[in-house]
Amino acid sequence: MKELTVPATLEALQTVQAFIEAELESGGCPMKAATQISIAVEEIYVNIAHYAYHPEIGEATVRCAVGGDPLRVTIQFLDSGRPFDPLAKPNADTTLSAEEREIGGLGILMVKRSMDQVDYAYEGGKNILTIRKQVKEGQ
C-alpha cells in the first residue's frame, strides 16, 4: 500500500485527493468508479479534519492499494484522534424530510452505499477506517 501523511486540516484535502486520484489512475481505475471513490475519500477525510482532533490539529494517514483482476481498490484512513466508529450509528433515515431528519449521517451512508465494504477498528491508539471497492467491467 502506498501511504501519505498530512496534517488533518481541510487545507490538506487537495493533497489527499491528488494522491488518491494518482493511485487510481496508475492502477487503471475507470472514471465512474474513480469518481465514486473520490467522493467517499472526500467525505471521510473532511470528517477527520473537522472532528478527530478538534480544536487541536493532528495528523491523518491515507493508504491506498489498487490492483488485481478484477480490479480492487482498498483505502485506509488512520488518525490518532478521539476514538469514533462512524459505522456504530444507525443509518440516516432518508424517508424523512430534511426538517424531520437528525443532523449527520448522510455522508457515511453515501460511503456505505457506494463502496463494497467499509470497516472500522480502533487499534494501537488509532482510528482505522477502511473502504474497499471491486471495480466491475464498465464502471
Side-chain angles (χ1 to χ4, degrees):
M1 280 191 144
K2 294 220 179 149
E3 181 174 297
L4 171 74
T5 299
V6 295
T9 63
L10 290 179
E11 292 77 21
L13 174 61
Q14 190 171 4
T15 302
V16 170
Q17 288 287 60
F19 167 70
I20 295 298
E21 289 168 13
E23 291 304 305
L24 295 175
E25 186 176 324
S26 71
C29 187
M31 182 61 77
K32 181 179 176 185
T35 299
Q36 290 176 329
I37 293 165
S38 291
I39 291 169
V41 166
E42 180 175 353
E43 177 61 35
I44 294 166
Y45 180 80
V46 166
N47 281 340
I48 292 169
H50 275 151
Y51 304 114
Y53 300 99
H54 186 74
E56 305 299 319
I57 296 175
E59 289 185 334
T61 297
V62 182
R63 296 177 179 158
C64 183
V66 181
D69 186 17
L71 188 67
R72 287 180 297 282
V73 177
T74 302
I75 302 172
Q76 285 188 323
F77 300 84
L78 298 89
D79 70 75
S80 299
R82 289 184 256 333
F84 177 70
D85 180 356
L87 306 178
K89 191 175 177 183
N91 286 340
D93 187 348
T94 57
T95 64
L96 298 175
S97 69
E99 295 79 26
E100 297 173 308
R101 215 173 16 235
E102 284 188 43
I103 294 173
L106 287 177
I108 194 67
L109 177 61
M110 184 259 335
V111 170
K112 287 160 63 173
R113 288 184 175 170
S114 64
M115 298 297 111
D116 293 328
Q117 188 175 348
V118 182
D119 297 303
Y120 170 82
Y122 187 78
E123 297 173 0
K126 292 189 182 295
N127 292 293
I128 306 168
L129 186 70
T130 305
I131 60 175
R132 293 180 177 88
K133 184 166 187 71
Q134 182 171 312
V135 181
K136 295 151 184 78
E137 286 294 319
Q139 276 190 324

